[in-house]
Amino acid sequence: MNPGLIPAAFVRCISEDGRNEMLHIVGVASQDKLKLLHMGVKIPEQPSPLPNILRTNFVIVCPANFVPKKGHSFLIDACGLLVKRCIINLQCLLTSDGPLDAEIRSQIQQLGLEKVICLLGRIQYRRLLDMYAEGEVDVVVLPSIVLADGEREGIPVALMEAMAYGIPVISTKTGGIPELLKSGAGLLVPPGSSEELADAIAQIINKEDLRLNLAKKGRERISEEFDLRKNAALLFSMLDKHKRDKKA
């Protein structure tokens, strides 16, 4: 070993998928040092209220940068399918920007969805949370895919935040997302399937019981394993234990 290097006491992995990838790199001999401790988000005291009964539109939000792995094109196609099925008063808000901006705008125009899909640009973080807190959002959708080079999601904070507010979420079976949405905490669809994504959105539109159940289970899931305060305390505890063991 290089005498200038100090071996790590442990390595924190924020998802089981990421930990498995690390194990593949370093080998099982180091598995005891690879500790799983999720990221966390602040959990509001109260969940999002039910949508205002005076609001007649169903609002989808996709809070993701316009980059390939986020899979925006599949959500846009899914919205087109829902419009063809006569799902009226549908509004999809894309709340960011990025290198695929021109491509996304072109796809929206080609499908004639300018009145359905609204590009809000990179809105302020506080504004997005206010939308959740005020009951302005019915579902958050993240249609992520795995790229040819293997690039994929970890566990997206964007989904955690929506779930913390009791917003139902839909995403794909990629990266660490199934780990987050297990046990009915959200709806999972195959990546790259606009048809199945549209079906999942339609379920939430048409089934109030499903929508309420997803909201409840999603918030519970965040409270159990993705609470920022709990996980920060656990990390400090792990560091403190290492210091004590070193002194012993």
Side-chain angles (χ1 to χ4, degrees):
M1 179 183 292
N2 187 325
L5 297 178
I6 301 174
F10 64 87
V11 174
R12 177 194 181 181
C13 302
I14 62 171
S15 72
E16 193 62 52
D17 182 64
R19 184 175 184 274
N20 290 336
E21 186 174 9
M22 287 291 291
L23 277 172
H24 180 72
I25 295 170
V26 303
V28 295
S30 301
Q31 63 181 335
D32 291 341
K33 284 193 173 185
L34 299 180
K35 308 294 186 183
L36 175 62
L37 180 59
H38 293 128
M39 296 285 284
V41 295
K42 292 182 179 179
I43 302 178
E45 291 185 8
Q46 298 295 329
S48 171
L50 294 175
N52 190 318
I53 59 173
L54 298 179
R55 177 160 65 79
T56 58
N57 55 337
F58 183 88
V59 178
I60 301 166
V61 165
C62 180
N65 292 332
F66 292 177
V67 295
K69 75 174 180 180
K70 298 299 182 180
H72 286 86
S73 64
F74 301 102
L75 176 57
I76 295 168
D77 282 342
C79 287
L81 293 171
L82 291 169
V83 169
K84 290 179 180 178
R85 297 179 192 177
C86 298
I87 303 290
I88 59 173
N89 297 324
L90 182 71
Q91 185 175 36
C92 179
L93 308 179
L94 306 186
T95 64
S96 193
D97 56 24
L100 297 183
D101 186 278
E103 184 177 316
I104 286 172
R105 290 178 184 274
S106 175
Q107 184 182 4
I108 292 169
Q109 292 172 357
Q110 288 175 7
L111 294 176
L113 296 175
E114 294 93 333
K115 293 183 179 180
V116 174
I117 300 177
C118 181
L119 279 67
L120 299 183
R122 195 172 292 276
I123 67 172
Q124 291 186 351
Y125 174 68
R126 185 68 252 173
R127 172 57 185 142
L128 178 63
L129 297 188
D130 285 346
M131 290 168 65
Y132 295 161
E134 293 166 13
E136 297 178 14
V137 179
D138 293 290
V139 63
V140 165
V141 177
L142 195 61
S144 305
I145 59 173
V146 180
L147 301 186
D149 63 1
E151 182 181 355
R152 61 190 185 279
E153 297 281 8
I155 298 183
V157 172
L159 292 178
M160 294 185 218
E161 289 171 339
M163 294 162 70
Y165 277 88
I167 308 292
V169 300
I170 301 171
S171 196
T172 59
K173 300 172 184 176
T174 58
I177 295 173
E179 185 178 344
L180 174 65
L181 302 188
K182 69 181 184 180
S183 303
L187 292 185
L188 284 165
V189 299
S193 175
S194 299
E195 185 75 35
E196 293 194 55
L197 184 57
D199 289 344
I201 295 170
Q203 284 187 60
I204 291 181
I205 293 173
N206 296 322
K207 298 179 180 179
E208 183 177 2
D209 289 348
L210 173 63
R211 186 163 67 248
L212 295 175
N213 190 52
L214 288 171
K216 178 176 179 290
K217 287 190 174 182
R219 184 171 159 91
E220 288 174 350
R221 179 81 179 113
I222 297 303
S223 179
E224 288 167 1
E225 292 192 35
F226 298 88
D227 183 322
L228 177 60
R229 291 186 178 182
K230 290 180 184 177
N231 290 1
L234 282 171
L235 180 57
F236 280 118
S237 176
M238 291 164 65
L239 292 169
D240 187 56
K241 181 180 183 303
H242 168 61
K243 289 181 181 178
R244 293 197 308 271
D245 291 346
K246 192 174 180 181
K247 290 179 180 179

